[in-house]
Amino acid sequence: MPTTIEQIKRINEAGPFHADWQSLSQFSVPTWFKKAKFGIFTHWGLYTVPEYRNEWYSRNMYIQGYPEFDHHRATYGEQKNFGYKDFIPKFTAEAFDADDWLKLFKQAGAQYIFPVAEHHDGFQMYRSELSHYNAFEMGPKRDVLGELKQAATTAGLHFCTSNHRAEHWWFMSHGKEFDSDVHEPLKKGDFYWPAMPEPNNQDLFSKPYPTQEYLEDWLQRVVEIIDRYQPELLYFDWWVQHQAFKPYFQQMAAYYYNQGAKLGYPTGICYKYDGMAFGTGITDVERGGFSEAKPFYWQTDTAIANNSWSYTTSLEYKSINEILITLIDVVSKNGNLLLNVGPKPDGSFAKTDKEILAGIGKWLGINGEGIYGSEPWKIAREGKTNISEGMFQDTSKLKYGSSDIRYTANNGAVYAYVLNPQEQTEIVLKSFHEFDEKNEPVFHGVISQVEQLGVGKVDWRIAEQGMVVQIKPTPDQRPVGIKIVLE
């Protein structure tokens, strides 16, 4: 039986974590997470079946004038005859193999996985006693989340998951505006329930407020995931910062942290915007980052494509170098990269996705010693090119050059990553010049040797402009890693 609201509250009253921000501020970022640096996010569900535009198909197919609306009618017929629910029998996942997924992710160098357990559409990708609309009872008739948990354990990767149900309060509502299969009366347990009018989804006080019935159902669904799958991290999309969610979110967070304390595994919650009080979880920046290193640990989540989180036939893929530059930049500024890939409807991965993941893994196999387990150096970066701070900045396609460097520290060494070597055979690390503008030493240590990762020792010298290092260009002009060994 699902854990009841009364049981959740009783456990939280016993502690050690209670359902308030002051108590939840006892939270500490798991050590493994700060060492991992790189994880894989996956968006896979019913919304993948049409392979059209993006993962918001379930909402947009009911909005008259939207491309999804017209595409749906041309491809499947009118929404009253073929609605979103009718994709369920088509979602058979015949090629899904959790062990193959984890093999691919591990070869890419990922240290943790973050499959979406339930997206805004309300279809659960796991076994549930709270709704029949789940992958165990319908569609593939498999506990997708459970299989991925087992595969991650076998592969030695950390298992995490995300819940995006908060937005389901309004996500299917446009289907009520014309003759479709989204119609009243809707009651708890119905797939489309409650389909309330869509608000300004950035308004923290928008009405109608989610009801107690809806919020308690949201809470129980998350607790069911915690109880059954014991994820090491949870992630929530943006709408949980709505005022109505606050007491329920605090109950969930306390319950999760208490269960982790009870069972002996560290836990953490990744949140966007200000969905949690600062210091009670892990700050997450969607498709963006920070311009400078932060004293707190954080994560960015972004996708392998610029225009969708799920697989479609029109993906605008990022290059391997663009993703590697994002990873290096984030790590140098005290963060992790959570990279999303979208499986095809049958559960396999497209050729381009696999090639990109393989390229990342190959680079990390050579350069990972300055990434995994590293910390920001006293100087995070040099060079003129830098991301603008905030969300939704990673599609700007910044033009990095050979003077754009990012630094990390690990194993007693300093690592300098040249983001775009541009076929240069000699680069300058300005942070190692002898004196700054005040005529004071910038770096005043003893260097025993300098290495190019994957190549070996290289020639170097300290000059007026900085440390001049001889390097060998890499295939496809991948970022170059330089290890500065100190005595």
Side-chain angles (χ1 to χ4, degrees), residues 78-116:
E78 293 186 15
Q79 287 83 342
K80 66 180 180 180
N81 299 321
F82 191 104
Y84 186 67
K85 68 180 185 305
D86 296 301
F87 283 119
I88 296 175
K90 294 180 175 291
F91 185 50
T92 55
E94 63 272 18
F96 170 59
D97 187 311
D99 290 319
D100 284 350
W101 281 29
L102 267 295
K103 181 179 179 181
L104 180 66
F105 300 160
K106 191 167 186 175
Q107 289 176 341
Q111 304 296 298
Y112 58 104
I113 65 166
F114 244 116
V116 174

Side-chain angles (χ1 to χ4, degrees), residues 31-282:
T31 300
W32 73 259
F33 179 72
K34 293 195 288 186
K35 293 181 178 294
K37 307 301 180 184
F38 179 46
I40 294 291
F41 209 3
T42 57
H43 280 64
W44 187 48
L46 297 185
Y47 45 85
T48 315
V49 175
E51 299 181 325
Y52 188 74
R53 293 200 74 199
N54 59 49
E55 71 287 351
W56 278 40
Y57 189 93
S58 62
R59 167 186 176 268
N60 298 342
M61 64 172 274
Y62 291 107
I63 302 180
Q64 299 172 73
Y66 268 50
E68 289 88 344
F69 184 93
D70 297 332
H71 170 84
H72 189 85
R73 289 201 164 189
T75 308
Y76 305 103
E78 293 186 15
Q79 287 83 342
K80 66 180 180 180
N81 299 321
F82 191 104
Y84 186 67
K85 68 180 185 305
D86 296 301
F87 283 119
I88 296 175
K90 294 180 175 291
F91 185 50
T92 55
E94 63 272 18
F96 170 59
D97 187 311
D99 290 319
D100 284 350
W101 281 29
L102 267 295
K103 181 179 179 181
L104 180 66
F105 300 160
K106 191 167 186 175
Q107 289 176 341
Q111 304 296 298
Y112 58 104
I113 65 166
F114 244 116
V116 174
E118 180 180 351
H119 203 252
H120 312 325
D121 65 346
F123 189 76
Q124 298 161 294
M125 297 295 289
Y126 59 95
R127 182 180 179 183
S128 175
E129 297 179 50
L130 293 167
S131 170
H132 295 299
Y133 292 93
N134 65 76
F136 185 75
E137 294 185 48
M138 297 183 176
K141 296 185 178 179
R142 297 169 66 176
D143 183 356
V144 172
L145 202 65
E147 291 184 39
L148 288 170
K149 165 70 183 285
Q150 181 57 55
T153 301
T154 301
L157 271 68
H158 296 275
F159 176 79
C160 317
T161 193
S162 69
N163 180 285
H164 303 219
R165 182 173 174 79
E167 295 86 342
H168 191 71
W169 170 254
W170 47 263
F171 211 65
M172 313 298 291
S173 63
H174 295 284
K176 294 180 178 179
E177 298 169 1
F178 64 101
D179 189 10
S180 81
D181 67 330
V182 183
H183 53 75
E184 301 290 4
L186 291 175
K187 62 183 184 302
K188 182 179 178 181
D190 292 341
F191 186 34
Y192 299 145
W193 172 81
M196 298 302 290
E198 181 170 345
N200 173 357
N201 56 49
Q202 298 301 315
D203 182 355
L204 303 184
F205 306 95
S206 62
K207 295 180 180 179
Y209 270 34
T211 61
Q212 179 179 346
E213 182 182 41
Y214 182 78
L215 292 165
E216 288 184 350
D217 177 74
W218 174 87
L219 174 57
Q220 285 190 283
R221 286 183 185 229
V222 180
V223 166
E224 184 177 53
I225 293 170
I226 294 168
D227 289 343
R228 179 163 287 158
Y229 304 101
Q230 297 177 10
E232 295 180 70
L233 292 177
L234 288 174
Y235 171 104
F236 293 92
D237 210 353
W238 88 100
W239 211 57
V240 294
Q241 83 267 25
H242 190 285
Q243 185 188 43
F245 278 90
K246 294 303 182 185
Y248 298 89
F249 195 97
Q250 290 171 334
Q251 291 287 353
M252 178 279 300
Y255 182 87
Y256 179 43
Y257 290 171
N258 282 326
Q259 290 301 96
K262 176 183 176 182
L263 298 176
Y265 67 97
T267 53
I269 298 173
C270 303
Y271 67 95
K272 298 195 300 191
Y273 292 100
D274 292 294
M276 299 180 75
F278 186 80
T280 61
I282 299 167

